[in-house]
Amino acid sequence: MAYEHIKFETENGVAIVTLNRPDKLNAWTRTMEREVRDAMESAEKDDAVRVIILTGEGRGFCAGADMDLLSGIEDGSEKREAGAVYGTKAYNVAVRSDFQTQYSYFPSISKPIIGAINGPAAGLGMVVSLYCDMRFASRDAIFMTAFAKRGLIAEHGISWMLPRLIGHSAALDLLLSSRKVTAEEALQLGLVNQVHDADALMPAVKAYAADLAQNVSPRSMAVMKRQVYEAQFQSLSDAVATGNEEMIKSFASEDFKEGVAHFLEKRPAKFSGQ
């Protein structure tokens, strides 16, 4: 697929998806939405890809929905019906329905998705960043929910995801006030994992991703990612039972055998993902 609003490249087991409308601070469009999903699904299907990075071109990550898109909703050219779920594909019985909606599908991608937040992430841009499994931020990054100041509400599941990352009270603060949150405050809140100088962000993210791609079992990463997201809907006893069952399966895997062998032989790992 030829991309218009994103860039997609792979190197050394890492796929990099770059929102590419720098003159608009990578404001989100329907085209971008389709292209990001296509790129994510392409990376999922590529056995050579083990980690995915999502970032923005230029000085912004994503400034939110493109104003033309918002204007279309206001004047009625963008049709929206109450109760409808937008952007879903054909229902997949193998995937929890929670992770099949317009933006909540990132957890259904079995590979780690790291958000490299290089600048402002506002409104829909912040929502997309939250669905990444981890977030590394530039010191220039700014987070803002924006919805309340547009007469909108907590959309696309941010009311579910944000409290799980930073807690109930802090989530309400960010949602109700729509205030700007710096990268340093985001780190203190637990909204991001690491903060780096602007020119050091991508090298740091790529180094972290390369370590996962080269030294960690792809099978282990896929299972653990699924465990963590499924645990949001489980009791402790259910999570323990799932872990016990998955551990037995792990003992029979090729990656477990390789994990023991490369440790004993003191050599780099050669995981197959099987």
Side-chain angles (χ1 to χ4, degrees):
M1 179 176 178
Y3 295 123
E4 182 181 353
H5 288 174
I6 72 166
K7 293 190 294 186
F8 180 65
E9 57 187 317
T10 61
E11 54 181 50
N12 301 320
V14 178
I16 303 176
V17 181
T18 306
L19 309 182
N20 190 30
R21 301 182 73 218
D23 56 322
K24 301 288 187 180
L25 285 179
N26 303 314
W28 196 266
T29 65
R30 293 292 186 215
T31 297
M32 184 179 287
E33 179 182 316
R34 290 191 299 270
E35 292 179 353
V36 168
R37 187 153 195 172
D38 182 85
M40 290 291 177
E41 292 176 349
S42 295
E44 171 79 343
K45 295 172 185 175
D46 188 346
D47 290 339
V49 171
R50 298 188 172 183
V51 183
I52 303 168
I53 296 171
L54 177 65
T55 192
E57 184 69 21
R59 60 187 183 88
F61 176 73
C62 177
D66 187 272
M67 291 307 296
D68 289 342
L69 180 59
L70 293 177
S71 298
I73 293 172
E74 183 181 6
D75 66 23
S77 59
E78 280 282 339
K79 300 296 183 184
R80 303 200 67 175
E81 299 174 6
V85 178
Y86 293 85
T88 52
K89 294 194 171 186
Y91 187 76
N92 183 350
V93 295
V95 177
R96 177 177 285 277
S97 60
D98 301 88
F99 303 139
Q100 296 193 55
T101 62
Q102 188 173 7
Y103 300 103
S104 73
Y105 67 91
F106 281 20
S108 72
I109 303 294
S110 66
K111 300 167 184 182
I113 301 173
I114 305 171
I117 315 302
N118 56 306
L124 186 51
M126 181 168 172
V127 171
V128 171
S129 77
L130 297 188
Y131 281 119
C132 294
D133 301 311
M134 291 166 273
R135 284 155 297 283
F136 290 19
S138 160
R139 296 192 195 281
D140 297 333
I142 294 173
F143 296 86
M144 185 171 67
T145 60
F147 298 118
K149 291 185 176 178
R150 301 291 179 268
L152 301 174
I153 48 78
E155 199 172 24
H156 301 305
I158 192 174
S159 60
W160 187 90
M161 185 64 82
L162 189 59
R164 281 166 169 76
L165 293 172
I166 65 174
H168 178 90
S169 181
L172 280 171
D173 166 29
L174 269 57
L175 287 166
L176 300 183
S177 70
S178 292
R179 66 183 181 83
K180 294 181 180 179
V181 176
T182 65
E184 293 296 341
E185 184 182 359
L187 182 62
Q188 294 172 3
L189 288 170
L191 191 61
V192 302
N193 300 80
Q194 297 181 19
V195 173
H196 297 274
D197 291 337
D199 59 354
L201 175 63
M202 284 307 293
V205 175
K206 287 182 178 181
Y208 185 91
D211 180 55
L212 294 184
Q214 297 165 16
N215 301 316
V216 178
S217 158
R219 183 186 182 281
S220 293
M221 289 195 290
V223 172
M224 287 191 287
K225 176 173 176 175
R226 185 175 70 248
Q227 283 181 278
V228 168
Y229 283 107
E230 288 290 339
Q232 308 300 314
F233 305 93
Q234 293 176 322
S235 66
L236 174 58
S237 61
D238 289 337
V240 170
T242 298
N244 291 342
E245 180 181 351
E246 291 294 348
M247 186 62 79
I248 292 171
K249 295 178 182 177
S250 293
F251 286 145
S253 71
E254 292 180 10
D255 275 8
F256 171 67
K257 296 173 185 176
E258 172 60 16
V260 173
H262 90 82
F263 176 77
L264 294 176
E265 297 169 13
K266 297 180 172 56
R267 58 170 174 78
K270 297 179 181 178
F271 290 116
S272 67
Q274 302 300 313

